[in-house]
Amino acid sequence: MPRARKYDGVVYQRAGTEIWWIRYRDRKGVARRESSQTADWQEANKKLRERLQARDANLLEVVRKGESLAYEQWADFFLENYSKPPVRAEKTHEANERCIKHLKAAFGISRLVDITADSIELYLRERLRQRVRVKVKLGYKLLGAIKSTTIHQEFRVLRRMLNVAVRKKLLVANPCSGVEFPVAVKGLFRPHYVAWSEQQRIESHGPQHLRNIIRIITETGLRVYKELTPMKKDQVDLHNAVVWIPDSKTPNGIAEVPLTSLAIEAFKSQMAISGEGPFLFPSNRNPSGHQTALKTVWQKTLRRARVPYFRIYDLRSTYATRLSAGGVADEWVTQMLRQSDAQVFKKYSQMKLMMKREALEKLNRRANEMAPVAADVLVAPLCTVTVQ
């Protein structure tokens, strides 16, 4: 009968070295020996405990693979499996490719476990000192400094890549959590909320198709380039006041979207000028295609209306703001936006079309134009007698 083992693993030193080694057995009983990469006995014991925990959770091979995996290998795997459609939109994948091209130049040969918060901060500071390079006939031309928003996007892509690695147990923790972006990024993630009077002013200075787009987005919350501009006429059911979205950024986006009376009028107006083709917003350059860009006409319209520039995507945020101002619960607003919050979606997945219509009746289009309540009114006692 074999003798029972007294210890799961041991920490020991080899002759002639200060580095501690660890010895343990895997789930198959095979002895494993490896260096702890440290001369600290406590750190070596910590690594041994991590190995034993990974073994007991049947994650030992995954953890060991993560310690030998290079960033370049993980970046290629991430692009192939977590960035391409249908997991993410095509434009998101293109943005990820641009960012990872620069990240590979800095971390390509480094192991995932060797990427630290300090190395990430050094990379960000170095990128902020660089200038934009544009390829010309005779080589490359240097322009102004790279915008901080561009570098912040690279940081967000890196953070998401490492978050996926943490979920896959290839990393213990994401080093990006200890990184502070070196400079302030002005205006990042601060959507512009369009007042009703401002919306009317913008609509009055824009072409007909743009007026319809503005009205549809602020009344339905459709995504501009993924859902609205590629829309076909057979997706719109004006009789039942719904529009069908067969393809979206997230699986939750595939749904029927109810229409308000203003949205119905905008769809009718667009159908009247869209011609005989299948698309609701046909392209002027490609008769068989649809519009793919609105940036130029949007900028010109804002300039004529004398409105400071903001993204056309912020009209979707305006839709959500007006719903909230109308008294719609936050969970319902998330459903109306067809967001991919798993917990909220699971809790409210049974919300039907009629419930969405009731929420639309509360949509407040003058949410940002309400007069502020005076402080003395807020503290005044309630009274049931009308003052004459």
Side-chain angles (χ1 to χ4, degrees):
M1 182 175 180
R3 186 174 57 183
R5 300 188 186 97
K6 187 176 182 180
Y7 303 106
D8 282 344
V10 295
V11 176
Y12 65 97
Q13 272 187 327
R14 285 184 171 180
T17 177
E18 295 182 355
I19 301 298
W20 289 94
W21 282 66
I22 59 177
R23 183 175 68 243
Y24 59 94
R25 292 184 180 273
D26 59 17
R27 292 176 69 89
K28 296 180 180 180
V30 179
R32 300 263 188 169
R33 294 178 177 85
E34 58 182 282
S35 172
S36 67
Q37 306 292 331
T38 179
D40 189 336
W41 182 82
Q42 291 182 346
E43 289 295 326
N45 272 276
K46 180 181 177 182
K47 186 164 186 177
L48 174 61
R49 290 194 298 270
E50 291 173 354
R51 284 288 191 265
L52 296 176
Q53 289 174 359
R55 180 199 65 184
D56 296 340
N58 202 18
L59 296 171
L60 182 60
E61 297 303 323
V62 176
V63 172
R64 288 172 61 89
K65 178 183 176 182
E67 293 182 351
S68 61
L69 187 64
Y71 173 81
E72 188 173 10
Q73 295 174 305
W74 177 246
D76 294 336
F77 182 83
F78 175 85
L79 286 175
E80 183 65 29
N81 296 278
Y82 296 95
S83 178
K84 287 185 176 180
V87 178
R88 287 292 184 270
E90 183 64 34
K91 288 189 175 181
T92 303
H93 176 62
E94 293 174 0
N96 289 343
E97 286 185 318
R98 288 194 300 269
C99 295
I100 289 177
K101 179 181 68 174
H102 298 288
L103 292 169
K104 275 186 176 182
F107 304 111
I109 60 175
S110 301
R111 297 185 304 166
L112 278 181
V113 294
D114 293 334
I115 299 177
T116 62
D118 291 337
S119 63
I120 296 173
E121 287 186 345
L122 288 174
Y123 165 77
L124 296 175
R125 289 187 174 90
E126 179 63 27
R127 285 286 286 157
L128 288 168
R129 288 191 290 265
Q130 294 178 5
R131 297 166 63 185
V132 178
R133 280 205 321 167
V134 179
K135 191 173 183 179
V136 294
K137 278 187 177 182
L138 301 178
Y140 288 92
K141 181 180 179 181
L142 291 177
L143 302 180
I146 301 176
K147 292 182 179 179
S148 56
T149 51
T150 302
I151 302 169
H152 196 277
Q153 185 181 30
E154 297 173 9
F155 173 63
R156 296 199 309 272
V157 172
L158 176 62
R159 182 173 57 195
R160 180 169 182 266
M161 291 177 63
L162 299 183
N163 276 335
V164 175
V166 171
R167 291 200 301 270
K168 293 294 182 182
K169 307 299 181 182
L170 298 172
L171 283 177
V172 177
N174 190 340
C176 291
S177 60
V179 176
E180 183 176 352
F181 200 73
V183 297
V185 184
K186 296 182 180 179
L188 189 64
F189 302 136
R190 291 182 181 178
H192 176 78
Y193 303 107
V194 185
W196 179 247
S197 58
E198 185 180 50
Q199 177 181 334
Q200 291 178 317
R201 186 163 73 251
I202 296 172
E203 290 177 0
S204 65
H205 288 83
Q208 183 64 40
H209 75 281
L210 184 62
R211 293 200 293 269
N212 295 331
I213 288 174
I214 295 172
R215 189 61 61 91
I216 290 171
I217 297 176
T218 54
E219 295 294 316
T220 63
L222 294 178
R223 296 177 172 91
V224 186
Y225 296 112
K226 185 63 178 178
E227 299 172 351
L228 183 57
T229 53
M231 185 176 293
K232 294 184 178 181
K233 296 176 182 177
D234 56 7
Q235 296 174 226
V236 183
D237 185 357
L238 295 179
H239 178 71
N240 294 312
V242 294
V243 61
W244 168 247
I245 306 299
D247 184 25
S248 184
K249 184 178 180 180
T250 62
N252 296 338
I254 301 175
E256 281 185 327
V257 178
L259 303 178
T260 63
S261 58
L262 292 178
I264 292 174
E265 293 300 323
F267 273 113
K268 287 181 179 179
S269 174
Q270 185 58 34
M271 286 185 175
I273 64 173
S274 60
E276 299 179 355
F279 289 104
L280 195 62
F281 296 91
S283 173
N284 296 328
R285 299 180 179 179
N286 182 12
S288 61
H290 60 82
Q291 290 190 12
T292 58
L294 299 169
K295 187 174 182 179
T296 301
V297 65
W298 178 248
Q299 288 178 337
K300 289 182 178 179
T301 301
L302 292 181
R303 194 180 304 118
R304 287 194 295 267
R306 296 183 180 180
V307 174
Y309 177 81
F310 63 90
R311 304 174 307 165
I312 192 172
Y313 193 84
D314 289 343
L315 297 175
R316 179 171 156 86
S317 301
T318 298
Y319 166 77
T321 303
R322 292 175 179 176
L323 283 174
S324 296
V328 181
D330 292 344
E331 293 83 0
W332 283 28
V333 175
T334 303
Q335 288 296 301
M336 303 292 287
L337 288 172
R338 294 165 292 113
Q339 292 285 8
S340 58
D341 189 325
Q343 294 180 351
V344 175
F345 180 74
K346 183 177 180 181
K347 187 175 180 180
Y348 291 90
S349 59
Q350 301 300 320
M351 191 172 71
K352 302 298 183 181
L353 192 61
M354 288 304 298
M355 298 171 70
K356 293 182 179 181
R357 293 192 191 281
E358 293 174 4
L360 281 173
E361 292 177 1
K362 299 180 180 180
L363 194 150
N364 189 342
R365 299 182 183 85
R366 297 184 178 273
N368 298 328
E369 298 176 355
M370 293 180 178
V373 181
D376 56 348
V377 175
L378 291 175
V379 300
L382 295 177
C383 181
T384 57
V385 180
T386 305
V387 179
Q388 301 294 331

